[in-house]
Each structure stands twice: as C-alpha cells, then as structure tokens.
Amino acid sequence: MQPSLFLRVLDGEVAAKPPVWLMRQAGRYLPEYRELRATTPTFLDLCYNPKLAAEVTLQPIRRFGFDAAILFSDILVVPDALGLPTSFETGHGPKLQPVTTAEGFAALHEAVDMERLAPVLETVERVRGSLPAETALIGFCGAPFTVASYMVAGAGTPDQGPARALAYRDPDLFARLIARVTDASVTYLSAQLAAGADAVMIFDSWAGVLPRLEYERWSQEPLARIVSGVRARHPGARIIGFPRVSGGQLLRAATTGVTALGLDIAVDPHWADGALPAGLPLQGNLDPKALIAGGRALDDGVDDIRSALARRPHVFNLGHGITPDTPIPHVERLVARLRA
C-alpha cells in the first residue's frame, strides 16, 4: 500500500495539494475535547489514560479529516518519568520541583522510567490501530533546552531566564541536565516509533531566546544528537524539528539531520524557500490569528504560503498551536481551501 500523502511529502514528494494537520489540533477549541476533559481530575490524568488520550487524538481526525494525527500528550511527561515531581494546576500551567543544584540533579533518575510512560505508548498503539491507513500518526517530545528550561524554573516563564542564567553560571551542571533529557528523549521517541508512530516531532518552543553560541550548544547540538540516536535504533526514521527560530538559527537547525523543519510565524516562507536546502521538506506556517480572523485574512495567508513553498515538499500547518478561541468553521474553511 502506498504511504500516506503526509509521509510521501516527508519523503520528498512535491504535492500539488499539500497535506495538512495543525499543531494542538486535539484541544480546547473542540467542544468534544472540553466535554471529555471535564471527566478527568487533572491534565496529566488525561495524558496517562490510554483510552481517553486515544479518543482525544482521534477527535480532530473524525471532524476535519486531517492528513495526520498527533499523539495527545505533553512534553513534560519526560521530566515526570525522570522522577521530577510534575503537575498541572488549572489556570497556572505546569509546576515542577526546580532543578538548580547538583543535589537536585542527583535526585533525578539516571534513565527515563519507561514504565511511567507505558500508558503513552499504549495510546500510540490504540490510535494507530484506529486510524485509517491514509492518515499518519505523529509522536513527539520536547527538545532538551525547552524541557530543561521548565525543569530549572519549575514553571513557564516569559523568557526562560532561570535556565539561561543557570547555563551561564554553571554550564557543567546545565550540560548534564541537557544530556539527561537528550538521552531520555532518544529512548522515548524510539519507543513511540516502535509502538506505531509513523513520524516524530521535536518541539523546541523556547530556542528563540538563545543567542548564537548558546543556541548551538543547547539547542542545535542536542537536536542533532537526538536525530542520530533515534536513527541508530530506527534507520530512516522521519523526524520533524520545530525550533522556534528564524534567520541564521534556522539555517543551523537544517544541519541537524532532521527530515523536515517546521517554520514559526516569524519566518518568511519566501525567504525560507530560497535560503534552506533545496528539497528539504518544510512545515507551516499560518498565523493562528489569521485562522481566528477567517475570511480574506485566512485565504490570503493560505495562498501566500502555498505560493512560497509550491516548488518543494510542504506540509501545511500553523506557525504555532491552534488556540481555544478558534472558530470551527474557520478550520473547515482552511481544509476546504487547501483541498479545492
């Protein structure tokens, strides 16, 4: 059977009508998600419930027929599985025990606890068994810098200042933390592929706060290590990198061995087409605000991106995650315009 359009594009096919999926497509903008979420005590309870997490993953596929589903989980299951107390407080986001000293680092597990992550892998198996053959399944993890930044701060911060400060103040400790998360990510992504994921994605949501030298050390190099580590176990694995960077940093990200690069909203797709390696599949990068606005703003944004990336492999997506205030008819309009 021929691979799905999404996978064929990752493999280098230039499609007249690009495949489409949306970051955070399983989430709070869907009433069926909100109804299901109300039945679980906490967000992590939902992530670790294979039956419910699989249902959430499948909801946007049933409603919109996207070309790919993405596993419903969270990037912070990795520190949780490294033994770091992790929770999500309604209205306040994630809360973790901060790791800021050698003693705090020593309290982490030396290797990721895959028993803790077993429910997530069961979710992958359930989803893959329920998806139509033409729909791909994407697994994911957070990139080491982004995950480590939450581990150091104990929460989200505007610019991940605590992690950046620790990296300058005690680079050896921060390097050990990055290495621990990198190794855990290789194991975790490899397990997702073995469980049935067709591709995996690495989210480095906070890479853009790093200057060049720090970016190379804490984002670019760990990303390359994850790619090589996963491919040592799964040769030919399809891996999408999404460092939220632009310009020279994005050019450096293209050297990490990723199969494809996601573009955030700050990246001009016309520039990206000319500057990034020919034939490298790109993913993105509609502004979520244009999707909320709908109408001409949506249509013009879609048409500009398609025009810019028409000559290379392209997966249509947003340049950041879909937000809860997105009207469902606008998502329907997006999909219809791409497939007309």
Side-chain angles (χ1 to χ4, degrees):
M1 182 179 296
Q2 189 179 37
S4 71
L5 178 61
F6 172 79
L7 297 179
R8 299 201 313 268
V9 168
L10 290 188
D11 291 341
E13 180 177 320
V14 178
K17 299 177 182 179
V20 57
W21 69 279
L22 304 179
M23 290 184 285
R24 295 184 185 165
Q25 66 190 20
R28 291 178 292 166
Y29 74 110
L30 294 177
E32 56 265 43
Y33 169 82
R34 295 194 298 270
E35 181 179 344
L36 190 150
R37 173 66 182 87
T39 69
T40 58
T42 72
F43 177 73
L44 273 183
D45 287 324
L46 179 53
C47 291
Y48 287 135
N49 184 313
K51 181 179 179 180
L52 297 184
E55 170 61 21
V56 171
T57 304
L58 293 165
Q59 285 174 347
I61 304 304
R62 297 194 194 104
R63 184 182 277 272
F64 303 112
F66 291 128
D67 294 285
I70 185 164
L71 168 70
F72 180 81
S73 185
D74 193 84
I75 65 171
L76 297 183
V77 298
V78 166
D80 187 52
L82 284 171
L84 189 67
T86 302
S87 63
F88 286 79
E89 298 180 5
T90 302
H92 298 283
K95 296 294 181 183
L96 304 87
Q97 181 67 43
V99 178
T100 58
T101 63
E103 291 76 17
F105 176 78
L108 299 175
H109 299 328
E110 291 189 7
V112 64
D113 180 1
M114 292 307 294
E115 285 298 315
R116 179 62 170 158
L117 296 175
V120 181
L121 302 180
E122 182 182 337
T123 300
V124 173
E125 294 173 350
R126 283 174 174 261
V127 174
R128 184 61 271 172
S130 300
L131 283 174
E134 66 271 15
T135 306
L137 174 58
I138 306 166
F140 73 92
C141 73
F145 174 74
T146 288
V147 172
S149 69
Y150 285 96
M151 296 174 74
V152 171
T157 61
D159 62 355
Q160 302 304 350
R164 294 162 62 199
L166 180 62
Y168 284 122
R169 184 176 69 249
D170 193 342
D172 290 340
L173 174 60
F174 197 67
R176 285 189 286 157
L177 181 59
I178 289 288
R180 184 67 52 85
V181 177
T182 299
D183 292 343
S185 300
V186 170
T187 300
Y188 182 40
L189 291 182
S190 298
Q192 291 181 49
L193 289 165
D198 300 296
V200 291
M201 187 163 170
I202 303 169
F203 289 88
D204 209 350
S205 304
W206 288 102
V209 304
L210 295 172
R212 182 181 66 85
L213 293 179
E214 301 302 293
Y215 171 79
E216 290 177 352
R217 183 172 186 183
W218 306 127
S219 179
Q220 177 184 338
E221 293 176 6
L223 177 58
R225 292 200 297 272
I226 292 175
V227 171
S228 62
V230 170
R231 293 223 176 100
R233 304 184 190 193
H234 297 272
R238 302 173 179 96
I239 304 171
I240 306 167
F242 184 57
R244 292 187 62 199
V245 293
S246 57
Q249 313 294 58
L250 194 60
L251 296 176
R252 294 180 183 92
T255 69
T256 58
V258 292
T259 306
L261 269 181
L263 310 179
D264 74 18
I265 61 172
V267 178
D268 176 356
H270 297 269
W271 172 87
D273 182 56
L276 292 169
L280 176 69
L282 299 180
Q283 178 175 275
N285 64 333
L286 183 71
D287 186 348
K289 296 297 185 184
L291 184 59
I292 293 172
R296 183 170 180 178
L298 171 58
D299 294 347
D300 288 350
V302 169
D303 293 348
D304 182 58
I305 293 167
R306 289 189 67 181
S307 173
L309 302 177
R311 292 165 296 280
R312 70 161 66 227
H314 174 219
V315 174
F316 199 94
N317 208 311
L318 302 177
H320 196 30
I322 192 169
T323 57
D325 52 343
T326 303
I328 287 174
H330 295 185
V331 180
E332 295 170 339
R333 178 172 181 148
L334 166 65
V335 175
R337 190 168 188 85
L338 289 170
R339 292 178 176 167

